[in-house]
């Protein structure tokens, strides 16, 4: 769908900014229930919309840049490793799923949230080498289900509002 | 919501329920507090004696408090203090982890048999 390289670069820049701001908003919302590492995942909305509108390559760069910058601004080296692993694996899964007819935004979003946790779990296993972290994973997955559905509904609404349905009728975009 | 969405959510729930059932069947609150530093046993403390222990290592210091059969991390000099804000733990398999100091405080029960874990990555 992208016609020119300059357009791609501009959109990557804009969406990366959206992603960074989403990360900042998440920090302001007190979402703590005594268990570390549970986030609302609002920045996945940005990756997903970039994926649906522009495809895998743009979404890939958006994800990398927003994780890099927001971790430089707000994160530690540990949180950076967790975020980059989780974000890339989530993007890979969403990229495989978003083209399928039977899966809507909500499904890809839930899969993305789940895979984000899987990526973080592998990073934690790499650092700590203890299989008992798997028990912590249970709570994270339940949270991923709920937050994934919330972010999926939000991306669906946003895509509808920006007129994605009209582009769909012209046949130039994926169904949501 | 389409058919594929339910499929994905179903797969995730199934993947989730297996360790959940496994955990709740094996849950009890008679155990001891084991502290691991760099994956080696640092110390074992009984759960029924109220006490406070300092864990001082090359990476930093943490302080755990055992009170009323619950363990919590009351102080740590790591930069993020995630371990301090963790809820107190009392059942076996529960853990408080301080990642920068590589400390795992876990509750282990003698009623578990070692055959429970198929593998522990090292």
């Amino acid at each position: 769908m992208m016609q020119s390289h300059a357009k791609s670069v501009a959109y990557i820049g804009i969406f990366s900014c959206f992603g960074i701001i989403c990360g900042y908003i998440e920090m302001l919302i007190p979402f703590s229930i005594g268990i570390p590492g549970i986030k609302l995942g609002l920045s996945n909305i940005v990756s997903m919309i970039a994926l649906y509108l522009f495809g895998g390559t743009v979404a890939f760069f958006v994800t990398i840049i927003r994780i890099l910058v927001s971790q430089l601004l707000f994160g530690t080296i540990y949180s950076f490793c967790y975020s980059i692993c989780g974000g890339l694996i989530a993007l890979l899964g969403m990229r495989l799923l978003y083209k399928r007819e039977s899966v809507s935004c909500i499904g890809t979003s839930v899969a993305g949230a789940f895979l984000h946790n899987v990526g973080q779990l592998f990073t934690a296993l790499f650092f700590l080498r203890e299989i008992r972290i798997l028990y912590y994973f249970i709570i994270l997955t339940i949270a991923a289900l709920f937050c994934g559905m919330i972010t999926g509904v939000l991306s669906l609404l946003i895509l509808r509002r920006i007129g994605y349905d009209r582009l769909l009728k012209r046949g130039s975009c994926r169904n949501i | 919501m389409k058919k594929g969405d339910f499929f994905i959510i179903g797969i995730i729930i199934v993947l989730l329920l297996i360790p959940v059932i496994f955990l709740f069947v094996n849950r009890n609150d008679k155990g001891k507090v084991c502290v691991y530093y760099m994956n080696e046993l640092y110390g074992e403390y009984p759960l029924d004696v109220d006490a406070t222990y300092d864990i001082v290592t090359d990476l930093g210091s943490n302080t755990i408090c055992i009170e009323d059969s619950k363990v919590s991390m009351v102080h740590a000099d790591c930069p993020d203090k995630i371990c301090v804000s963790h809820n107190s733990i009392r059942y076996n398999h529960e853990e408080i982890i301080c990642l920068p100091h590589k400390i795992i405080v876990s509750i282990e029960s003698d009623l578990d048999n070692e055959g429970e874990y198929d593998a522990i990555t090292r």
Side-chain angles (χ1 to χ4, degrees), chain A residues 36 82 102 104 129 132 175, chain B residues 2 4-5 39 82 99 108 121:
Chain A
Y82 285 123
S102 50
S104 74
R129 301 192 184 280
R132 285 179 291 180
N175 61 310
Chain B
K2 299 195 185 149
D5 298 341
N39 256 346
I82 288 176
L99 208 52
E108 286 172 23
T121 57

Side-chain angles (χ1 to χ4, degrees), chain A residues 4 74 119 128:
Chain A
S4 76
F74 314 122
L128 275 183

Side-chain angles (χ1 to χ4, degrees), chain B residues 26 28-31 92 108-114 116:
Chain B
N26 288 330
N28 62 70
D29 57 357
K30 292 175 264 300
N92 64 329
E108 286 172 23
S109 170
D110 303 323
L111 302 176
D112 286 337
N113 50 343
E114 277 303 311
E116 194 178 289

Side-chain angles (χ1 to χ4, degrees), chain A residues 16 20 64-75 80:
Chain A
S16 302
I20 296 164
I64 292 222
I65 292 176
R66 67 146 169 102
I67 288 177
L68 201 63
V69 177
S70 39
Q71 292 303 320
L72 276 174
L73 287 175
F74 314 122
F80 171 72

Side-chain angles (χ1 to χ4, degrees), chain B residues 65-101:
Chain B
C65 172
I66 305 178
E67 189 184 331
D68 193 24
S69 285
K70 291 195 271 248
V71 187
S72 56
M73 182 89 74
V74 291
H75 174 261
D77 53 8
C78 54
D80 42 28
K81 307 247 189 295
I82 288 176
C83 46
V84 182
S85 66
H86 203 289
N87 288 339
S88 56
I89 59 177
R90 66 181 302 171
Y91 293 107
N92 64 329
H93 303 311
E94 285 191 299
E95 294 175 346
I96 300 177
I97 301 179
C98 183
L99 208 52
H101 293 173

